[in-house]
Amino acid sequence: MGLLTIGTFAKASRLSPKALRLYDELGLLAPARVDPATGYRLYAPEQLDQARLVAWLRRLGMPLARIQRVCALEPSAAVPEIRRYWAEVEADTAARRDLASFLVDRLSRKDPAMSANTHSLAIRYAALSDTGLVRESNQDTAYAGSRLFAVADGFGRAGATAGAAAVEALKPLETRGFAAGDLLNVLEEAVEEAKSAVNGVAGTGSPSAESGTTLTAMLWTGSQLALVHIGDSRVHLLREGELFQITHDHTMVQSMVDDGRITPEEALSHPQRALLLRALGHGADGTPDLRLHDARPGDRYLVCSDGLSAVVDIGEVRRVLTEVADPDHAVRELVGLANGFGGPDNVSCVVADVVEAHS
């Protein structure tokens, strides 16, 4: 059989010609030949297997950049990558299910008052922030309390003050009483207070006005962890030996990765990798991601600034979270790893373990 026209190949692979042209531009599925006179794309029949794999992975909802990585692997290596992706999808679906259940309960008016007491689960935690080996000052803020865990990564001349102000604005949540059905509203109100606090310390009409901060925090309710996330600090969940990133970076390079314009590897060295799409500060988009997670005994959460995530390989992070049982020792080892790789940035970590409460 000779080469197939793009129309014939599209029909056989169940991919549209438009999709095939996009995949060619991205280097995901290049045609076997391009007619020099007409510019028509021609495909070889043996490319159908890869095209069908791409179609199937797209049906799974896998981003194009990740499909590109999977297609470059040998089948034996592609299988665990697909399993890992699907585990992440299921974790995300579970989080959405928790949110749906929460909203159903709220609309059904099943909203018992929240309390910091009498829960079957408890939490152990530790926080640590370090200047690193290159920066002159620490603009990070890391906090862990009985119900609140937070990391803020400040930037600009007043970055340290901005980050600290954002976290301080959330601290009253540790002692406030509120109904479970009001949780999301309470978090949104707290973010608005954090925005006001950051704008107050950043100032206006001066270089300080370009200051701001990220804010990533989790509020422990006794059976759930509610997440608020703005910026590029991250939350990871270690559950049953698998490590999941449960936040999505609000950065220019992450949007480029999502669109398939660059690979995750290229993002690491991209000149705009520090450009935030969301943050707290004057003129910034401070829209938060809000999510709920049902807690399970044995869960371990890591909240960290990009001084860890951009410096230390995720495999090393997983090793520490898996092997180092004590949260205090874990945050110290994670910070030590970042500094061991040159400590180019401030680094902050919070590790929180969900455990059975002692009666």
Side-chain angles (χ1 to χ4, degrees):
M1 183 185 295
L3 296 179
L4 307 175
T5 66
I6 190 170
T8 303
F9 190 79
K11 186 176 296 185
S13 64
R14 297 185 180 179
L15 290 168
S16 69
K18 181 179 178 181
L20 288 172
R21 286 190 286 269
L22 173 62
Y23 300 162
D24 179 17
E25 293 172 5
L26 297 176
L28 176 60
L29 187 62
R33 188 168 76 87
V34 177
D35 188 292
T38 64
Y40 290 162
R41 293 171 172 85
L42 301 170
Y43 294 82
E46 53 267 27
Q47 290 183 282
L48 280 171
D49 283 345
Q50 183 178 4
R52 287 165 179 157
L53 175 60
V54 171
W56 291 331
L57 294 175
R58 286 299 285 164
R59 289 180 190 175
L60 285 179
M62 185 178 287
L64 287 175
R66 194 156 184 174
I67 291 175
Q68 197 166 22
R69 298 204 305 274
V70 170
C71 290
L73 298 172
E74 293 294 327
S76 59
V79 167
E81 180 65 23
I82 294 172
R83 285 175 175 163
R84 190 176 300 111
Y85 168 74
W86 193 246
E88 293 170 8
V89 170
E90 289 182 327
D92 182 66
T93 301
R96 296 185 189 189
R97 182 195 63 228
D98 295 342
L99 178 56
S101 297
F102 171 86
L103 293 173
V104 167
D105 288 346
R106 190 191 188 313
L107 294 172
S108 302
R109 305 195 180 278
K110 298 175 183 178
D111 53 354
M114 291 181 60
S115 168
N117 307 310
T118 65
H119 293 296
S120 60
L121 297 177
I123 202 109
R124 297 186 309 155
Y125 52 85
L128 183 63
S129 185
D130 189 81
T131 304
L133 305 180
V134 175
R135 300 293 177 89
E136 293 182 357
S137 62
N138 191 355
Q139 293 188 306
D140 280 6
T141 298
Y143 175 80
S146 60
R147 294 174 69 184
L148 178 70
F149 320 107
V151 166
D153 183 354
F155 56 86
R157 183 175 297 181
T161 310
V167 173
E168 284 295 325
L170 298 188
K171 286 184 180 180
L173 294 176
E174 288 204 288
T175 55
R176 280 181 60 182
F178 46 84
D182 291 332
L183 178 56
L184 294 184
N185 291 334
V186 167
L187 284 174
E188 286 189 310
E189 291 169 3
V191 171
E192 289 301 316
E193 292 172 5
K195 288 179 185 178
S196 298
V198 170
N199 289 341
V201 301
T204 57
S206 70
S208 294
E210 298 180 2
S211 301
T213 184
T214 70
L215 179 63
T216 300
M218 302 196 82
L219 179 65
W220 170 243
T221 70
S223 61
Q224 290 182 316
L225 281 159
L227 167 70
V228 56
H229 171 62
I230 307 165
D232 64 349
S233 294
R234 294 180 177 177
V235 178
H236 291 272
L237 166 62
L238 182 70
R239 174 173 284 176
E240 297 179 352
E242 293 290 331
L243 186 64
F244 307 99
Q245 181 181 330
I246 61 174
T247 53
H248 196 70
D249 293 349
H250 300 144
T251 61
M252 177 66 73
V253 295
Q254 184 60 56
S255 70
M256 295 169 70
V257 170
D258 294 341
D259 292 341
R261 288 181 283 167
I262 62 173
T263 67
E265 291 74 23
E266 290 171 334
L268 295 175
S269 58
H270 196 280
Q272 292 182 309
R273 61 188 179 277
L275 182 60
L276 294 169
L277 296 181
R278 295 194 216 173
L280 297 181
H282 286 288
D285 179 0
T287 305
D289 289 342
L290 298 172
R291 297 178 64 177
L292 293 171
H293 284 263
D294 275 340
R296 300 181 189 174
D299 282 353
R300 167 167 275 194
Y301 288 86
L302 167 67
V303 189
C304 67
S305 65
D306 66 343
L308 179 74
S309 58
V311 175
V312 180
D313 180 78
I314 191 63
E316 280 296 290
V317 172
R318 180 183 178 280
R319 179 190 62 80
V320 172
L321 294 177
T322 302
E323 297 178 359
V324 182
D326 181 70
D328 185 66
H329 292 165
V331 294
R332 291 180 184 278
E333 184 155 343
L334 289 169
V335 169
L337 279 174
N339 287 335
F341 282 100
D345 197 358
N346 308 145
V347 55
S348 295
C349 301
V350 176
V351 171
D353 294 339
V354 181
V355 297
E356 294 282 0
H358 298 296
S359 57

